[in-house]
Amino acid sequence: MRRYSLLAALVVLAFVMLFPFLLVALNAFKSPAEYSSGGPLALPEGLYLDGLVEFWNRVDFTRKLWNSLLISGCVAAGAVVLSVLNAYALGIGRVRGRLWILVVFLVANTLPQEALVYPLYYLAKQVGLYDSRLFVILIFTVIQAAFGTYLLSAVLGRFPAEILEAAAIDGAGKWRALWLIVVPISRPTLSVLLIFFFIWTWNEFFLPLVFLISNDNQTVPVALGVLQGDRLMDATMSSASALLGIVPAVAFFLIFQRTLTRGITVGAIK
């Protein structure tokens, strides 16, 4: 009896979590007339794709999708590499003042983005990188690497010293030991960080809104947010835009779901 109660609770929880996505998908394929007559909960009579096509063409969604993929991919890869280098020095190298450096990284993770806007804005103006995807990539690489460094420092701090000593006896230097021993063994944890960094960066809205003002450089979340106030946007087109914004991140998560599960499981076993 208790097992069935737990199963029913899980089903209800899953339905509550998926309901907003299902509602968006349901209304994305309705015509405005169907939405007006049947409301948001009625099933569509057919697949109405005009809303998706019109939104795609109106915002040049192909360009926005490429910008988001480029920024999120570069940030995820760069932040993982930077986190590994920092954590290798702090977790295994045991540099002086390690604890205080980790405290700085921890405090950096708690800073709201609103507190960073003004200094970053003037910095971007001074170096000529305002309205540049490169500047946004650099910003989020540093922000994500702060969290990655804090996490990986704890992981690499428990790295078996015997393995590194054996590598040193075989003639492997610190740089070689990092890329041939530490990174392959820590690959599950690094894979989890890579997935999270990509999704977190994909969903970022505030800083790209401030630093990417031209239409050619905007990301998917910025394009969705800007068009929400458009008077020509009806409910079905709003649902279509939300669906197009959600699907790439969900697809990325589903593709790497096995990698994410394996990384979390291995980390738990360790």
Side-chain angles (χ1 to χ4, degrees):
M1 184 65 181
R2 184 174 300 175
R3 181 181 300 177
Y4 290 111
S5 299
L6 179 60
L7 181 61
L10 291 176
V11 171
V12 172
L13 179 61
F15 177 77
V16 172
M17 295 179 64
L18 292 175
F19 180 75
F21 177 78
L22 295 176
L23 189 62
V24 167
L26 185 68
N27 290 288
F29 298 102
K30 288 181 183 178
S31 65
E34 289 178 341
Y35 184 87
S36 300
S37 60
L41 299 179
L43 294 176
E45 298 178 0
L47 290 180
Y48 180 81
L49 301 178
D50 290 357
L52 291 169
V53 174
E54 185 177 351
F55 172 77
W56 189 291
N57 295 329
R58 180 184 296 184
V59 303
D60 190 10
F61 193 77
T62 303
R63 181 78 177 184
K64 306 299 187 298
L65 187 63
W66 165 247
N67 290 337
S68 289
L69 288 173
L70 177 65
I71 293 174
S72 300
C74 291
V75 169
V80 168
V81 172
L82 188 58
S83 299
V84 169
L85 296 177
N86 292 337
Y88 184 65
L90 296 173
I92 295 180
R94 300 289 180 176
V95 299
R96 181 174 298 180
R98 168 179 175 272
L99 179 60
W100 292 106
I101 296 176
L102 289 178
V103 169
V104 171
F105 280 112
L106 180 61
V107 172
N109 281 296
T110 63
L111 290 176
Q113 293 185 356
E114 291 79 3
L116 303 175
V117 167
Y118 289 106
L120 290 176
Y121 173 80
Y122 288 111
L123 176 62
K125 285 289 189 179
Q126 289 294 326
V127 299
L129 289 178
Y130 186 67
D131 194 23
S132 169
R133 291 174 297 185
L134 176 60
F135 190 73
V136 174
I137 290 173
L138 294 175
I139 292 174
F140 284 120
T141 298
V142 173
I143 292 176
Q144 308 290 22
F147 173 80
T149 300
Y150 178 77
L151 178 65
L152 285 179
S153 296
V155 174
L156 297 185
R158 298 191 299 270
F159 196 87
E162 297 81 5
I163 298 179
L164 297 176
E165 292 173 358
I169 293 175
D170 291 338
K174 293 183 177 180
W175 188 256
R176 189 177 179 185
L178 169 63
W179 296 111
L180 297 182
I181 297 176
V182 176
V183 170
I185 293 178
S186 305
R187 186 175 299 169
T189 304
L190 300 181
S191 300
V192 173
L193 280 180
L194 182 71
I195 295 172
F196 280 145
F197 287 165
F198 183 92
I199 296 177
W200 290 345
T201 307
W202 179 280
N203 292 326
E204 287 291 345
F205 173 77
F206 182 65
L207 291 182
L209 177 66
V210 175
F211 292 102
L212 299 176
I213 58 174
S214 66
N215 189 53
D216 291 338
N217 291 330
Q218 288 180 350
T219 59
V220 171
V222 174
L224 298 179
V226 170
L227 281 181
Q228 290 306 311
D230 195 332
R231 295 181 180 179
L232 299 178
M233 289 278 286
D234 52 52
T236 56
M237 188 179 295
S238 297
S239 299
S241 64
L243 182 64
L244 288 176
I246 295 172
V247 166
V250 173
F252 180 85
F253 178 81
L254 293 177
I255 292 172
F256 293 98
Q257 181 182 12
R258 183 173 299 179
T259 302
L260 179 62
T261 305
R262 188 188 305 119
I264 294 176
T265 303
V266 172
I269 294 175
K270 287 183 179 180

